[in-house]
RNA sequence: GCCGAAGUGGCGGAACGGCAGACGCGGCGGUCUCAAAAACCGUUGAGCCACAAGCUCGUGUGGGUUCGAAUCCCACCUUCGGCACCA
């Protein structure tokens, strides 16, 4: 009689042993192939939730599998420890963010250890440690010195709840809300630091060599929003130049007016005295509108004539210049040429204000159409008309078509050229908050913006600050902190009092893991050369257009600054889905549907929770938590425990039994390996369950025999990535040397799958009517004969000659009559 | 409006163009038990049928390709994610 399976005894026991032995320490070993497995690090909120388990434990299973396959695996963990919640809590209850953050980290580290993950804790990196953010600041300085960081005064997104500016990526949804707190953002004009992400727009569009989900690639591609066209220069009557961007330069002959954004710098100069009050009132009204109101596509188009005129550079015609809020200062040049006949928005505007609509692309089906008669804009194909040199050319972007011809014409006449515009904006990284890495810039009356010299980094965040809900960073209110001297001239100067977007920390944390205590640089180059790039990166898809763009930018910029190597930081990316509450809704405290992983672990043990999270969902999809469904994996673990107890010794069973036992064993090896490889954790567990079930069927005839021992050992090994504690305990009970996690992964032998006879389905006209036994490689003639001889088939064929017979060896015969 | 993903039993979910529903939950029946729980064994898509054999239907809807379609193609519906006056 063996002891009951008790995870509460074996799990802490093995966790302590693994830690004491440093079993998961990863060190550079040039003789072994490396595998850098990375999973997104948590924010130290105070408690791990089930979503962390869902993200991390399958990732851990795969890292363990790679390790058993012979790779030298680096699987680190750390904390993205700067950020608003800690600071907001400080304002509320006075507990210092440092205290709260590090208390939370201590607790969460223990929770992470309770998962039974193979994290190498000696490589832990915490982004709020001065030895970490020293290098975050160093990266800022590097970018500044290389012209990739700059300060600009401009209207920016401000979250009134978080009391700070946000990057464009961090403003979400139709109502333009803050990604963190959900509050709609407002516009403020402020001096802020930016990184030149747009410089890398084209390179960021290139995913060559990356094994990333197409959804993420598509989202990034859409986000970057490359669009090809031309820039065209219009001249005003007063001689000013207005540059516009258009994707349809071929329709230039149909441009009957221009529209500028209300904020456009030339508006004042263009506006005539008669129009000045109307224009002023319109601009006033536009500024008062919220971003949401202004950018609503439902809204009717409004605008005001400036009184000024420009010259259409192709026709020489005098066309009126209007302002309208449907033209955005933040895209292109903030000015457009309006071609009402072929643009929906321009058409609506022209009809509203009675402006001329001139057809320049004649649709194929409407030979008599003219601008005045049009009911809607025509954006389709056709032939160019009313367009001078372009007349008769087919409208389109292809070779020999109108767009290319128009660009050639513009170039030839010096009025414009081919151009590309992106939707992507530069990354705004200033934050008006305390709990972040200070921006290492000093403002000197003499020398302007001066980077803090590397040997004076880090610029340490002062601890003696006051928590006031003023909407100003405590750094700004600190009496002395910002006062310093200029590194260039030594005269009194001031520090920047903003801190950096915490997405900066996560843009390079994977490099700090390489050598978290290295003092000569952000990472030890020897570690970098061995481990980088990250081979497998796992995490949530919600980071597609934030972290995952930033970190690619960071890597490419760092490469150009000679810091990193290679085109990309992370080769393979996989996203897990989300675990919902048992009610199918997103988990939240207010709904009361939050599943606490600690409670599940104390009820079932970590291995069961791991197995359930792997088994219950298609990993990339996620789904609702179920207290019922976890019973399945819980029972399975008990069954593994029961079948894998040491079993004395017995003679081999008959050869047929041995053969089918080995067959089951090798099917399991094949399926579990393939599915772990492919992140299909649910079928990994179901294959293990099937194999366990078949061992129960063999138990009576085979238990104790050498084949049985091998079959059971194989189960213990195959389960080790999913249930590391259970496998370790069973491996030890079965008398094998520690540790199961240092064993080689079982090797699949296809020869073990060979069978003398296989069941072949016989179809008549595509419907299954019978089954016959055949050798797997039976020739078609024999298979056909056997199929036709099958009683049910003979009956249905009824003496007729089959019109056709389809034979798939080892699978089916389809008789068509 | 644009880009993308997904629709399969009561439920979670499986299925290289080849036996739909693996594996599990739940249900039902049984073994064990004084009994219950646990554990173990069996069974479980729907319909026709007393039962079985057998047949029919069945992967969001409608078409198509194919000897054969959950899978490929076309059109549509629904849900979800992202973007959206982007010139």
């Amino acid at each position: 009689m063996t002891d009951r399976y008790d995870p509460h005894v074996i799990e802490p026991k093995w966790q302590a042993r693994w830690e004491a032995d440093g079993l998961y320490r990863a060190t550079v070993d040039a003789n072994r192939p490396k595998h850098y497995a990375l999973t997104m690090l948590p924010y130290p909120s105070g408690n791990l939730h089930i979503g962390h388990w869902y993200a991390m434990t399958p990732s851990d299973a795969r890292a363990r599998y790679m390790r058993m396959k012979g790779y030298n695996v680096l699987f680190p963990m750390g904390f993205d420890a700067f950020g608003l919640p800690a600071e907001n809590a400080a304002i509320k209850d006075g507990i210092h963010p440092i205290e709260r953050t590090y208390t939370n980290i201590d607790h969460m580290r223990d929770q992470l250890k309770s998962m039974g993950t193979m994290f190498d804790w000696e490589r832990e990196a915490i982004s709020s440690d001065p030895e970490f953010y020293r290098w975050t600041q160093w990266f800022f300085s590097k970018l500044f010195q290389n012209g990739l960081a700059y300060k600009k005064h401009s209207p920016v997104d401000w979250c009134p709840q978080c009391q700070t500016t946000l990057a464009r990526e961090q403003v979400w949804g139709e109502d333009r809300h803050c990604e963190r707190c959900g509050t709609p953002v407002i516009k403020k004009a402020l001096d802020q630091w930016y990184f030149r992400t747009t410089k890398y727009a084209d390179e960021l569009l290139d995913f060559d060599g990356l094994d990333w989900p197409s959804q993420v690639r598509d989202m990034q591609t859409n986000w970057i929003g490359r669009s090809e066209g031309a820039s065209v220069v219009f001249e005003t009557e007063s001689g000013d130049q207005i540059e516009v961007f258009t994707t349809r330069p071929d329709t230039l002959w149909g441009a009957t007016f221009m529209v500028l954004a209300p904020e456009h710098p030339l508006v004042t100069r263009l506006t005539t005295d008669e129009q000045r009050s109307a224009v002023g009132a319109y601009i006033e009204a536009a500024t008062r509108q919220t971003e949401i109101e202004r950018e609503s596509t439902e809204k009717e188009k409004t605008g005001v004539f400036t009184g000024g005129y420009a010259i259409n550079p192709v026709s020489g015609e005098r066309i009126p210049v209007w302002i309208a809020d449907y033209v955005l200062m933040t895209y292109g040049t903030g000015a457009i040429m309006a071609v009402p006949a072929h643009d929906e928005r321009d058409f609506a505007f022209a009809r509203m204000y009675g402006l001329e609509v001139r057809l320049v692309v004649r649709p194929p089906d409407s030979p008599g159409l003219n601008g005045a008669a049009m009911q809607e804009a025509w954006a389709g194909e056709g032939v160019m008309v009313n367009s001078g040199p372009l007349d008769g050319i087919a409208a389109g972007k292809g070779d020999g078509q109108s767009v290319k011809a128009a660009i050639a014409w513009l170039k030839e006449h010096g009025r414009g050229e081919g151009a590309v515009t992106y939707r992507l904006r530069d990354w705004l990284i200033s934050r008006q908050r305390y709990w972040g890495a200070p921006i290492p810039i000093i403002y000197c009356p003499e020398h302007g913006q001066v980077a803090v010299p590397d040997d004076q980094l880090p610029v340490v965040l002062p601890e003696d600050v006051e928590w006031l809900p003023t909407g100003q960073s405590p750094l700004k209110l600190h009496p002395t902190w910002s006062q310093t001297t200029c590194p260039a001239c030594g005269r009194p100067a001031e520090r920047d009092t903003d801190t950096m977007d915490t997405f900066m920390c996560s843009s390079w944390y994977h490099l700090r893991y390489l050598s978290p205590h290295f003092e000569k640089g952000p990472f030890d180059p020897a570690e970098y050369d061995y481990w980088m790039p990250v081979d497998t990166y796992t995490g949530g898809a919600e980071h597609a257009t934030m972290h995952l763009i930033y970190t690619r930018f960071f890597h490419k910029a760092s490469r150009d600054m000679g810091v990193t190597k290679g085109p990309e930081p992370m080769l393979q990316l996989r996203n897990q889905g989300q675990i919902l509450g048992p009610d199918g809704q997103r988990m939240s405290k207010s709904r009361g549907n939050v599943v606490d992983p600690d409670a599940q672990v104390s009820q079932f043990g970590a291995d069961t929770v791991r197995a359930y999270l792997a088994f219950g969902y298609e990993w990339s999809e996620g789904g609702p938590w179920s207290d019922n469904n976890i019973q399945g994996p819980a029972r399975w673990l008990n069954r593994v425990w029961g079948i894998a107890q040491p079993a004395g010794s017995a003679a081999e069973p008959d050869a047929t039994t041995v053969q089918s036992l080995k067959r089951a064993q090798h099917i399991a090896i094949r399926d579990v390996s393939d599915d772990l490889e492919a992140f299909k954790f649910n079928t990994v567990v179901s294959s293990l369950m099937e194999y366990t079930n078949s061992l129960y069927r063999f138990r009576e005839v085979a238990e104790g025999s050498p084949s049985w021992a091998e079959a059971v050992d194989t189960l213990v090994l195959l389960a080790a990535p999913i249930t590391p504690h259970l496998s370790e305990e069973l491996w030890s009970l079965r008398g094998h040397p520690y540790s199961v996690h240092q064993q080689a992964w079982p090797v699949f032998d296809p020869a073990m799958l060979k069978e003398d006879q296989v069941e072949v389905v016989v179809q008549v006209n595509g419907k299954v009517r019978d089954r016959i036994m055949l050798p797997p490689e039976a020739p078609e003639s024999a298979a056909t004969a056997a199929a036709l001889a099958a009683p049910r088939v003979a009956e249905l064929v009824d003496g007729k000659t089959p019109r056709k017979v389809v034979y798939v060896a080892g699978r089916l015969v389809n008789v068509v009559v």
Side-chain angles (χ1 to χ4, degrees):
Chain A
M1 191 56 200
T2 55
D3 289 335
R4 246 183 72 244
Y5 166 55
D6 186 356
H8 306 298
V9 173
I10 63 178
E11 290 182 352
K13 178 179 82 181
W14 289 113
Q15 283 165 17
R17 173 83 189 270
W18 295 334
E19 186 159 358
D21 295 348
L23 186 67
Y24 303 125
R25 213 107 294 156
T27 52
V28 169
D29 178 354
N31 297 316
R32 287 163 66 209
K34 67 93 182 181
H35 179 79
Y36 188 172
L38 181 67
T39 190
M40 291 178 188
L41 79 179
Y43 172 79
S45 58
N47 266 302
L48 236 42
H49 54 78
I50 201 74
H52 289 119
W53 278 73
Y54 186 60
M56 292 175 184
T57 58
S59 301
D60 175 67
R62 196 163 184 287
R64 287 177 175 280
Y65 161 73
M66 294 303 283
R67 178 182 154 114
M68 290 175 81
K69 286 240 297 183
Y71 289 91
N72 186 19
V73 176
L74 172 59
F75 189 49
M77 186 40 67
F79 294 92
D80 190 14
F82 275 138
L84 280 177
E87 185 173 348
N88 291 339
I91 293 170
K92 202 161 153 238
D93 58 26
I95 297 174
H96 199 285
I98 294 180
E99 191 189 331
R100 175 180 300 268
T101 299
Y102 286 86
T103 308
N104 286 352
I105 286 175
D106 286 342
H107 178 58
M108 288 174 72
R109 190 187 295 114
D110 286 344
Q111 289 182 304
L112 286 164
K113 287 179 177 172
S114 79
M115 286 177 176
T117 44
M118 56 170 281
F119 295 129
D120 177 359
W121 288 103
E122 281 197 8
R123 290 177 178 273
E124 180 190 62
I126 300 172
S127 64
S128 58
D129 284 350
E131 66 171 355
F132 185 113
Y133 72 74
R134 170 185 178 187
W135 300 105
T136 308
Q137 292 172 334
W138 179 87
F139 273 107
F140 178 96
S141 288
K142 275 270 178 194
L143 290 164
F144 175 66
Q145 285 151 15
N146 284 273
L148 292 169
Y150 65 94
K151 198 171 192 184
K152 175 176 83 170
H153 184 84
S154 148
V156 294
D157 295 308
W158 170 271
C159 173
Q161 174 72 38
C162 297
Q163 296 279 357
T164 181
T165 54
L166 299 172
R168 179 65 191 88
E169 285 76 20
Q170 293 152 34
V171 178
W172 283 14
E174 219 169 334
D175 61 347
R176 300 181 49 76
H177 63 264
C178 166
E179 164 263 331
R180 289 209 73 90
C181 72
T183 309
V185 301
I186 58 171
K187 284 283 183 200
K188 274 197 175 188
L190 290 169
D191 262 320
Q192 302 281 286
W193 283 96
Y194 294 82
F195 289 160
R196 275 187 215 287
T197 44
T198 51
K199 188 181 172 196
Y200 290 87
D202 268 322
E203 212 191 324
L204 289 167
L205 286 168
D206 178 9
F207 297 95
D208 201 37
L210 289 191
D211 175 12
W212 280 32
S214 61
Q215 295 98 299
V216 173
R217 297 198 316 253
D218 290 348
M219 279 165 78
Q220 293 201 349
T221 302
N222 287 342
W223 186 261
I224 293 164
R226 181 190 156 96
S227 98
E228 284 186 26
S231 84
V232 184
V233 178
F234 284 65
E235 238 168 59
T236 66
E237 285 191 316
S238 52
D240 291 310
Q241 299 205 321
I242 306 177
E243 190 185 340
V244 304
F245 173 77
T246 174
T247 54
R248 293 295 305 273
D250 53 331
T251 62
L252 198 37
W253 282 261
T256 51
F257 59 102
M258 292 186 82
V259 187
L260 308 189
E263 306 88 345
H264 195 280
L266 282 175
V267 170
T268 324
R269 284 173 61 84
L270 271 160
T271 305
T272 57
D273 291 338
E274 303 84 75
Q275 291 299 101
R276 200 163 300 283
S277 65
V279 167
Y282 186 81
I283 293 172
E284 174 79 2
T287 338
R288 264 206 313 274
Q289 281 181 83
T290 66
E291 192 83 350
I292 309 152
E293 285 162 2
R294 173 156 172 192
E295 293 192 3
S296 163
T297 48
E298 323 285 277
K299 203 184 71 166
E300 281 207 323
K301 302 264 174 299
T302 59
V304 169
F305 179 41
T306 61
Y309 287 85
I311 306 300
N312 182 322
V314 297
S315 63
E317 276 180 289
R318 194 168 171 259
I319 59 175
V321 182
W322 288 62
I323 62 168
D325 62 6
Y326 79 93
V327 175
L328 309 174
M329 199 57 224
T330 49
Y331 184 78
T333 61
I336 62 159
M337 63 179 216
V339 184
H342 307 292
D343 181 281
E344 207 188 309
R345 297 151 300 172
D346 299 344
F347 184 84
F349 193 78
R351 283 288 186 255
M352 171 85 72
Y353 294 105
L355 296 158
E356 186 192 348
V357 177
R358 185 180 304 168
L359 190 82
V360 290
V361 178
R362 183 167 306 290
D365 305 330
S366 317
L369 193 66
N370 64 67
M374 289 177 91
Q375 297 297 306
E376 56 183 0
W378 174 254
E381 297 177 355
V383 174
M384 301 307 298
V385 293
N386 303 325
S387 296
L390 264 44
D391 279 351
I393 299 178
K397 301 196 181 224
D399 282 335
Q401 293 189 311
S402 59
V403 171
K404 288 198 169 160
I407 291 171
W409 189 96
L410 286 166
K411 223 170 164 175
E412 195 187 321
H413 293 81
R415 310 313 296 236
E417 59 188 347
V420 176
T421 298
Y422 302 90
R423 215 184 72 89
L424 183 72
R425 303 268 70 93
D426 279 343
W427 175 14
L428 192 170
I429 58 106
S430 303
R431 296 291 178 272
Q432 291 69 48
R433 297 301 301 238
Y434 164 75
W435 191 230
I439 294 176
I441 287 287
I442 292 167
Y443 301 97
C444 169
E446 178 91 1
H447 296 91
Q449 302 162 350
V450 184
V452 175
D454 290 355
D455 60 10
Q456 290 172 32
L457 295 177
V459 176
V460 178
L461 203 53
E463 294 186 26
D464 56 334
V465 293
E466 283 199 70
W467 308 110
L468 298 167
T470 57
Q472 303 249 46
S473 167
L475 290 185
K476 199 163 189 174
L477 303 176
H478 192 283
T480 56
W481 182 80
S482 67
Q483 296 166 23
T484 183
T485 52
C486 171
C489 62
R491 276 183 283 189
E494 281 196 32
R495 294 188 186 283
D496 196 308
T497 55
D498 284 350
T499 52
M500 293 186 247
D501 184 358
T502 57
F503 277 108
M504 240 192 108
C505 314
S506 53
S507 292
W508 76 281
Y509 76 106
H510 56 285
L511 299 175
R512 196 60 190 165
Y513 286 148
L514 299 173
S515 47
H517 310 298
F518 193 65
E519 292 185 354
K520 297 189 197 121
F523 52 81
D524 180 344
E527 298 272 342
Y528 184 99
D529 289 342
Y530 180 70
W531 293 110
M532 281 293 286
V534 172
D535 295 282
T536 297
Y537 194 29
T538 54
E542 67 275 14
H543 291 105
T545 57
M546 300 193 296
H547 164 58
L548 291 171
I549 284 194
Y550 296 145
T551 194
R552 291 181 68 216
F553 158 76
F554 226 80
H555 184 90
K556 290 167 189 294
S558 299
R559 174 207 58 202
D560 289 348
M561 301 186 303
V563 178
T564 56
K565 297 173 192 168
E568 292 285 344
M570 290 116 184
L571 299 181
Q572 182 184 47
L573 175 72
R574 289 295 182 272
N575 301 121
Q576 81 280 351
Q578 235 176 23
I579 297 297
L580 306 172
D583 54 359
Q585 300 291 108
R586 184 188 262 276
M587 282 190 202
S588 74
K589 278 182 196 143
S590 56
R591 285 202 185 88
N593 62 352
V594 175
V595 174
D596 172 19
D598 290 352
Q600 299 297 326
V601 171
S602 47
Q603 188 177 351
F604 296 102
D607 279 345
T608 294
V609 177
R610 291 172 62 106
Y612 170 57
L613 290 171
F615 176 69
Y617 314 86
E618 209 292 281
W619 195 54
S620 62
E621 291 294 318
W625 175 269
S626 163
D627 285 323
N628 278 337
N629 288 358
I630 194 174
Q631 297 296 339
R635 284 176 197 146
W636 170 62
L637 264 68
N638 271 306
R639 282 166 66 76
V640 173
W641 178 261
I643 201 80
Q645 295 301 316
S649 64
E652 282 287 79
D654 64 280
T656 317
T657 303
V658 171
Q659 194 191 2
S660 41
L661 180 58
K662 293 226 180 294
R663 195 178 135 75
Q665 179 185 328
H666 282 268
I667 286 174
I669 295 171
R670 182 194 61 194
D671 292 351
V672 170
S673 308
D674 289 353
D675 292 347
L676 276 170
E677 203 75 51
F679 298 83
K680 290 160 77 176
F681 302 106
N682 53 348
T683 49
V684 166
V685 179
S686 70
S687 295
L688 289 169
M689 286 173 166
E690 278 181 272
Y691 183 44
T692 308
N693 292 344
S694 65
L695 288 180
Y696 269 86
R697 285 191 290 273
F698 282 112
R699 185 177 208 167
E700 201 176 325
V701 289
E703 189 167 25
S705 68
S707 300
W708 174 260
E710 184 191 308
V712 173
D713 283 345
T714 300
L715 174 64
V716 174
L717 290 165
L718 293 179
I722 302 285
T723 56
H725 313 87
L726 173 66
S727 282
E728 190 75 284
E729 178 73 12
L730 290 169
W731 192 251
S732 158
L733 284 177
R734 295 177 61 73
H736 295 303
Y738 174 85
S739 155
V740 73
H741 302 296
Q742 289 170 307
Q743 304 306 310
W745 188 251
V747 177
F748 169 59
D749 180 359
M752 296 295 180
L753 263 47
K754 288 234 164 66
E755 287 178 296
D756 300 338
Q757 295 274 305
V758 292
E759 189 183 79
V760 171
V761 165
V762 184
Q763 298 182 333
V764 178
N765 293 335
K767 287 188 196 294
V768 181
R769 299 299 184 183
D770 216 333
R771 289 137 208 279
I772 53 179
M773 295 305 287
L774 287 174
E777 300 303 329
E780 178 156 3
S781 53
T784 304
L788 290 169
R792 287 281 308 136
V793 180
E795 196 181 307
L796 285 156
V797 173
D798 192 26
K800 284 174 281 200
T801 313
R803 281 198 291 129
K804 185 172 182 178
V805 176
V806 181
Y807 173 53
V808 183
R811 304 194 81 116
L812 64 66
V813 180
N814 186 12
V815 181
V816 185
V817 290

